[in-house]
Amino acid sequence: MTPKIPDAYERPMAYPEQEQFAPEATEKFVFIVVRWSWITLIIASVLQCILFQVTANWVAVICVLIAWAVTTKVFLRSSVLLNYPLSTILVLGFASTQFYFPLLFTLIESKPIIFNLERPYDVFLHSMASLFVIVLAHIFYQLVFKKTINRTHSVLNKVGFFNPPTSLQLWLMGLMGVAATFYSYIYTPVGWSPTGAASDKFIQALIPFSYAPYFIPVGKLYGSKETITKRTTIYLLVFTIFLFIVSIARNNRTGFIVGFTSISFAYGLGLLIDYFKPRFFTLKNVFIGAISLWIITGPVADVSTAMVMVRDDRHNITYTELLERTFINFFDKEGIRLFRLMGTDIAENRFWDEYYMDNIFLARFSNLKYNDLSLIMASKVSNPDSDMLNYTIDHFFAILPLPFLQTLGINVDKGFVSSGSFGDYFHYKVTGNPWAIGGFRTGHLSGVSMSAFGWWYLAILGIGIIPVFLLYDKFSIRKLTRFSTKKSTPITFSLCGLLVLTDIFRFLTIESVEGIGTFLLRGWIQIILLYILFYHSTRLLDKLIKGISGQTIKKLRNVQSEKYMLPVYHKVIKLRDN
């Protein structure tokens, strides 16, 4: 009798075609991406220089070209993508949101890349300096940590962190996440409060799981072998509509925008590492692409603007009225056009003008005005400024639970620090307006960090970002078997890493380098613990539901069998008696 091969040496069932995985295919597709990105960038750059003949705009275009050259040369290579996948996405996110996207998107809206920037030279000086520091940090990281992807024996793998959840588990996660959203922002107001009971904050922390079902179509990334049916597509559309309504009711655009970006980034990652075949130019894909583009630039952008228009009333009216007003504004296209012409989402005053892009959806990934505003504010205070430094330190410690702070004897006014943003405090510091706190204006890494640490913020950024690279890359694993080699074995991502993929891409849009510290102190471990808890909870529910449904189906089959066999049985008895 042939002995059974131990599980540790079995070929992973999630990849029956595993032996066909080839890094050469990844290299080929990455080359195509780089080539077309440069073709697009060169055309856009020439048009920017011709249409907007301003020296500052030309300098900005040159900075974008240099930044993209460095990014593509260092990071858009198969060897880097396959060994450092998520940290590479983080750097690509910074280069895209600070350089590539602003040039492209402003041109689409017939604007120069320096549109509405008061300090364009400072903006690109700090962005270029930050990029070079990040690139050097990642090169050092590659030299020191040559093997960052988890192995089969890793602790995370042993606790089920890389086990592929079933589709039912993802649906359960999504529904629980939506329920957490409903509880935190609609049923109770705890979501709007910076402080609160630990149980309420725990429920609020489950909200990101709302987007879990969107990863069902890209299940190959996390090791799933379940097939996607038309029924799944219909369920996802219904779920999207449901999530859309809940997001409008809480007056938060993130709810439905992250759903779109999550599946887009996950699919893009799969293409870059050759998990999905790039069949772009089929009739079906062109149609889907055209519809998606229209939805993003049309209805989604208009709904986002309509939500901003009623934002000031969200705490003063019922959620039914908020929904009604939002939809009234959505259908008032002239009102939306006039609101956008006001020049800012907040439309507050001359001290804080965030206007850069007309399309609010695109502005989330390419708003250089945040950089500009923070640098303007930084120019009005000393560098470094003692008040900004103290606020930054307090903000760092405020991430810890209050009982923990009290035990350590750390005196932090957590209520004050958590009731606003760095942008709010900057505004308050410069204008002296106490009502500035609570507006949650968006600050930016460069200006906020400059005011707190001076140019030393670049050193903090370079040193602090290295462990962030390492920890994010720990969200992937390469399961080597007896039948595979490192080159032939594909990467498996934890669903946890995919859930935060949008956050990884936008990680360096943080308001201060202090954000790196809060991530290392609490953010990363909190994400992992919540996911492990949620994974095993939904796994238990999955087994329970399937067990009950299996027994029910068995009983129904027995009943049907009895109904069918009983007449036959009577006929046999009758024939026997005769």
Side-chain angles (χ1 to χ4, degrees), residues 4-13 479-483:
K4 186 179 184 301
I5 298 174
D7 292 343
Y9 295 100
E10 289 183 352
R11 183 182 300 276
M13 295 303 294
K479 296 181 178 180
L480 296 178
T481 70
R482 173 184 290 180
F483 305 99

Side-chain angles (χ1 to χ4, degrees), residues 497-523:
L498 300 179
L499 283 169
V500 295
L501 197 55
T502 300
D503 294 332
I504 295 174
F505 187 83
R506 299 184 69 245
F507 182 83
L508 287 171
T509 60
I510 52 178
E511 291 189 282
S512 169
V513 289
E514 172 268 348
I516 295 175
T518 58
F519 173 79
L520 297 176
L521 182 65
R522 179 174 175 175

Side-chain angles (χ1 to χ4, degrees), residues 85-97:
L86 295 182
S87 63
T88 300
I89 293 297
L90 188 153
V91 181
L92 288 175
F94 180 80
S96 299
T97 57

Side-chain angles (χ1 to χ4, degrees), residues 96-125:
S96 299
T97 57
Q98 303 303 304
F99 296 99
Y100 196 94
F101 288 166
L103 186 144
L104 192 62
F105 293 161
T106 51
L107 182 64
I108 291 173
E109 294 190 351
S110 302
K111 298 173 183 175
I113 189 175
I114 61 167
F115 175 76
N116 201 30
L117 301 184
E118 295 183 30
R119 306 179 72 91
Y121 294 111
D122 288 344
V123 167
F124 284 95
L125 171 64

